[in-house]
Amino acid sequence: MESHIALSFHRAVAAVTRRVLEAHGHRVTGIEARHEQLFRLQAARQVDVLVSAWLPSSHDGYLAGYRDEVRVLAPHYEPYCLWAVPPYVSVEAVGEVADLTRPEVAARMTRAIDGINPGAGISRFSARMVTAYGLDQAGYTFAPGTEPGFIARVEQGIADREWFVIPLWRPQYLNRLHGLRAIAEPEGLLGAVDAAGPVIRREALDRVHPEALARLDALHLGNDGVEELDTMINADGLTPLQAADRYLASRPDLLP
């Protein structure tokens, strides 16, 4: 049983993982769930492979209770969290998070900050930042939401040339599509650069073809590769498996 977090770029990486397993004779069934639920399912031995854990910053707390029961493979990419503004907001106006509290900036900026589901690292970190940087005193609020709502909010804001700040991460296709600009966060509340790799229950390792396991352990998509896949899904309208097939067709070394 393969499982992945219910976000589009996780679906993209899971689709590549699935194709690698299928190329070695595995029949793969999959489920998706929110962050915290998915890790609970793996801890309860209901899923064998989880795609993917961001360690150490975002998901370590979810994995800590059963860390000795699993093997984390080498990272497929190196994600990190960020806050970003649209490219038409100048760096002179907003270069770092603290600039959001400047009266002339706060007067122009939409102060409702929208996020994805509350279990995501970027949502937990962002909620903390609103207080830590005194943004709440300047009228800013943070509210988690759904991925479709989050994407629609960015798309509409860009279309309206609105001044807004968005909790984001790499890899995510919106970075590539809209040229969103990261702003500095000097307090380090957004965590470090993580390593994102599949998590496999140890009792399932013997059921995975050795060559498939070796290929998954050596697979490196990088942030650019995951964003390429994510763009195929969200901008080009491909399914995750269609995106994986197109990506893998141009990289024949990744499959036998």
Side-chain angles (χ1 to χ4, degrees):
M1 175 74 75
E2 175 271 332
S3 63
H4 56 270
I5 295 168
L7 293 169
S8 67
F9 71 98
H10 282 298
R11 295 184 189 107
V13 179
V16 174
T17 302
R18 177 172 182 162
R19 288 306 196 217
V20 172
L21 290 168
E22 289 174 340
H24 292 87
H26 290 287
R27 181 180 178 183
V28 180
T29 58
I31 61 169
E32 71 171 39
R34 291 189 174 191
H35 299 72
E36 58 272 42
Q37 180 186 1
L38 198 63
F39 284 91
R40 286 199 297 266
L41 288 172
Q42 190 176 46
R45 296 179 170 84
Q46 294 183 39
V47 296
D48 299 318
V49 181
L50 184 152
V51 181
S52 302
W54 289 22
L55 303 172
S57 296
S58 288
H59 300 157
D60 186 63
Y62 296 140
L63 191 61
Y66 67 103
R67 181 65 178 80
D68 59 346
E69 300 174 17
V70 298
R71 176 179 167 186
V72 181
L73 301 189
H76 289 174
Y77 57 102
E78 294 76 29
Y80 56 90
C81 297
L82 58 103
W83 274 19
V85 294
Y88 48 79
V89 177
S90 71
V91 68
E92 291 78 19
V94 183
E96 62 177 85
V97 175
D99 290 337
L100 296 170
T101 64
R102 293 164 51 196
E104 66 274 22
V105 172
R108 190 168 181 182
M109 189 78 60
T110 297
R111 281 169 279 179
I113 303 172
D114 297 290
I116 56 171
N117 58 288
I122 182 62
S123 294
R124 302 195 314 271
F125 303 154
S126 295
R128 183 172 59 190
M129 284 171 59
V130 169
T131 301
Y133 278 94
L135 299 177
D136 52 344
Q137 297 177 27
Y140 290 89
T141 59
F142 169 76
T146 65
E147 183 184 33
F150 169 84
I151 291 171
R153 189 268 171 277
V154 174
E155 298 282 3
Q156 190 62 55
I158 293 288
D160 295 342
R161 292 190 67 82
E162 174 190 350
W163 279 40
F164 64 94
V165 62
I166 196 75
L168 200 58
W169 61 92
R170 284 207 68 204
Q172 218 284 344
Y173 84 100
L174 291 170
N175 294 290
R176 176 179 295 215
L177 193 64
H178 294 303
L180 298 170
R181 176 175 61 82
I183 61 176
E185 194 278 288
E187 297 299 322
L189 300 181
L190 285 171
V193 175
D194 277 329
V199 183
I200 305 179
R201 290 205 59 91
R202 292 195 178 276
E203 65 267 22
L205 289 171
D206 290 341
R207 300 196 297 272
V208 179
H209 191 289
E211 181 61 24
L213 188 62
R215 283 187 178 270
L216 287 176
D217 207 22
L219 177 66
H220 189 260
L221 304 172
N223 292 346
D224 288 340
V226 178
E227 285 184 356
E228 180 180 347
L229 287 155
D230 200 29
T231 301
M232 291 181 198
I233 296 168
N234 290 281
D236 299 342
L238 301 187
T239 68
L241 287 174
Q242 288 171 337
D245 289 340
R246 180 184 293 182
Y247 183 87
L248 291 167
S250 65
R251 295 160 180 84
D253 59 303
L254 298 181
L255 290 179

